[in-house]
Amino acid sequence: MKYQYRDREMGERILQKIGDLDLELTLMHVCGTHQDTLIRHGLQGLLADVGVDIRQGPGCPVCVTTPKEIEESLLLAKNGKTILVFGDMLKVPGASSSLSQAKTEGCDVRVVYGVDDGVRIARGIDNDCVFMSIGFETTTPSSAAALKAKTPDNFYVLTCNRLVPPALKAIVQMGEIRLDGLIEPGHVSTIIGSEPYRFISEEYGIPQVIAGFEPLDLLMGVYMLAKQKMKGESKVEIEYTRAVREEGNPKAVEVMDSVFEPTDVKWRGFPVIPDSGQELREEYGSKNARLVFEDILAELEGREFPEPEGCLCGEVLRGIVTSDECPLFGTACTPESPVGPCMVSAEGSCNIVYKYGKMG
Ligand code: SF4
């Protein structure tokens, strides 16, 4: 089927075809851009009308960063380090405060647009600089490439990077939500390809489609999942063929794997997920902020870091509730005065639903 990226008539035809299959499906995606497309274009509601409920899972890197990781950056900031951070992280509350608050109290917290920006800042000052490295497989290769290319002696990395497939496995194994299919993220998949998702279809019988970000991409992705379900199939298909290859980008994966290695890590709203984090390999130990500033960070060991009171971000990130089902949504919690990270980040479900004023 040949189609333009935005074509109302074609969208209606795909919706009709999904409806004709007469299925009740609960699907999950793990991508802030997919959530934006779903809500901005009213697809959530249109799909609900044909029996499809789509939940956002742990697909926002800022949202899944834990209060402990934020406390680590705060402690380093309060100990005189320059913190280099993506703008979306600034207002995310840790257990005690936020980087935005620390900045107003005089800490040196600087917004960067990428790791190269951080390296540039470090080159221009004498102070120790700590780059809070956040992101999935999409952004981790650029951090890896920067470290391989040599960074100044005063540049360190606080790794908060995570891998998507282990989190999907955790969601499936936790079994808290019925899952008839997964819409896999296009950006991440341009790097890792389709192979790393395959075990989820083979071991757990869950259909998967890697989808692009235009409204028709998502509708087509849902239709492909519905057809798999109808035929009793479970495999990984690529809808986003204009960007994603089965093998992904082997060069980027090679660079990433040469600098980072998988490690067990907690995600916000989740317990520790085996092999879902990315830590610097031993040979990059001199760049690892957790090792270099071990004495400062020791203060945090053994402490508990509770979630903000009343915040359901963990449940939102596990797909158990939708943003507008949180009692604080739009009242105590707004983008101007956020309680949880899902209201702060542009990729957070609560922020997106608030911005467009509707779920569907
Ligand atoms: S509305 Fe606010 S408090 Fe509720 S889940 Fe979203 S971010 Fe958390």
Side-chain angles (χ1 to χ4, degrees):
M1 196 187 298
K2 187 174 186 308
Y3 56 82
Q4 303 287 321
Y5 298 146
R6 296 190 182 183
D7 180 332
R8 187 184 185 93
E9 195 185 324
M10 182 61 73
E12 286 168 354
R13 280 173 57 193
I14 299 172
L15 278 165
Q16 176 74 45
K17 281 181 169 290
I18 296 169
D20 289 347
L21 294 177
D22 198 20
L23 297 168
E24 291 289 324
L25 299 176
T26 302
L27 309 178
M28 177 177 279
H29 71 81
V30 282
C31 175
T33 315
H34 279 159
Q35 183 73 351
D36 190 275
T37 302
L38 278 170
I39 305 300
R40 180 201 295 244
H41 297 281
L43 301 184
Q44 189 94 8
L46 292 170
L47 284 164
D49 291 343
V50 293
V52 180
D53 179 15
I54 305 186
R55 301 296 174 104
Q56 179 173 8
C60 159
V62 166
C63 306
V64 299
T65 300
T66 60
K68 181 178 180 185
E69 288 164 327
I70 297 166
E71 289 299 316
E72 287 177 317
S73 64
L74 284 168
L75 190 53
L76 291 172
K78 287 171 184 165
N79 278 271
K81 311 303 174 197
T82 297
I83 303 298
L84 309 168
V85 66
F86 295 120
D88 263 13
M89 263 325 288
L90 272 186
K91 285 170 86 176
V92 176
S96 65
S97 180
S98 67
L99 285 164
S100 166
Q101 181 65 31
K103 191 172 165 64
T104 64
E105 289 166 5
C107 294
D108 189 10
V109 178
R110 306 191 190 193
V111 171
V112 294
Y113 299 99
V115 63
D116 292 338
D117 204 15
V119 170
R120 183 187 54 76
I121 291 171
R123 282 196 211 286
I125 60 178
D126 291 330
N127 201 31
D128 288 339
C129 294
V130 178
F131 173 60
M132 197 174 181
S133 181
I134 288 168
F136 297 141
E137 293 90 331
T138 328
T139 48
T140 309
S142 57
S143 293
L147 287 167
K148 277 180 96 74
K150 192 149 171 52
T151 54
D153 291 345
N154 62 336
F155 181 83
Y156 305 95
V157 179
L158 184 70
T159 56
C160 307
N161 304 75
R162 287 173 166 79
L163 297 162
V164 168
L168 297 173
K169 181 178 179 180
I171 286 266
V172 173
Q173 287 187 329
M174 287 162 82
E176 294 178 305
I177 176 171
R178 172 183 148 183
L179 267 188
D180 297 304
L182 285 163
I183 300 170
E184 302 299 6
H187 296 137
V188 166
S189 306
T190 58
I191 304 296
I192 65 173
S194 58
E195 187 59 32
Y197 305 114
R198 194 171 304 280
F199 75 95
I200 296 170
S201 291
E202 291 178 353
E203 292 176 27
Y204 302 100
I206 295 179
Q208 299 174 86
V209 169
I210 297 166
F213 304 103
E214 293 291 339
L216 288 183
D217 283 320
L218 269 173
L219 290 176
M220 201 60 187
V222 171
Y223 180 50
M224 290 163 77
L225 287 172
K227 281 202 298 184
Q228 282 196 46
K229 199 72 188 168
M230 193 73 188
K231 293 179 190 167
E233 295 176 344
S234 54
K235 56 188 178 185
V236 188
E237 293 182 283
I238 303 174
E239 181 280 333
Y240 197 27
T241 50
R242 61 189 185 277
V244 176
R245 290 175 296 168
E246 215 171 300
E247 68 276 20
N249 182 338
K251 183 70 192 164
V253 172
E254 187 189 321
V255 170
M256 179 171 73
D257 290 349
S258 68
V259 175
F260 291 89
E261 60 185 345
T263 185
D264 301 348
V265 75
K266 185 172 165 27
W267 297 44
R268 190 185 287 258
F270 289 77
V272 171
I273 304 177
D275 287 336
S276 67
Q278 294 268 67
E279 191 51 276
L280 291 173
R281 289 187 179 275
E282 200 177 341
E283 54 264 44
Y284 291 92
S286 63
K287 291 286 161 190
N288 188 335
R290 288 196 182 88
L291 295 180
V292 176
F293 304 119
E294 197 177 4
D295 290 350
I296 296 174
L297 296 173
E299 187 183 309
L300 300 177
E301 283 316 308
R303 280 179 45 190
E304 294 290 321
F305 301 95
E307 298 291 333
E309 201 177 328
C311 173
L312 296 186
C313 280
E315 286 76 2
V316 169
L317 292 165
R318 301 202 304 279
I320 301 169
V321 302
T322 57
S323 294
D324 57 352
E325 287 171 342
C326 173
L328 306 187
F329 178 83
T331 53
C333 182
T334 63
E336 292 71 37
S337 180
V339 175
C342 297
M343 188 59 91
V344 180
S345 171
E347 294 190 64
S349 175
C350 303
N351 181 287
I352 292 166
V353 174
Y354 186 90
K355 184 163 55 185
Y356 298 116
K358 59 186 189 313
M359 265 306 285

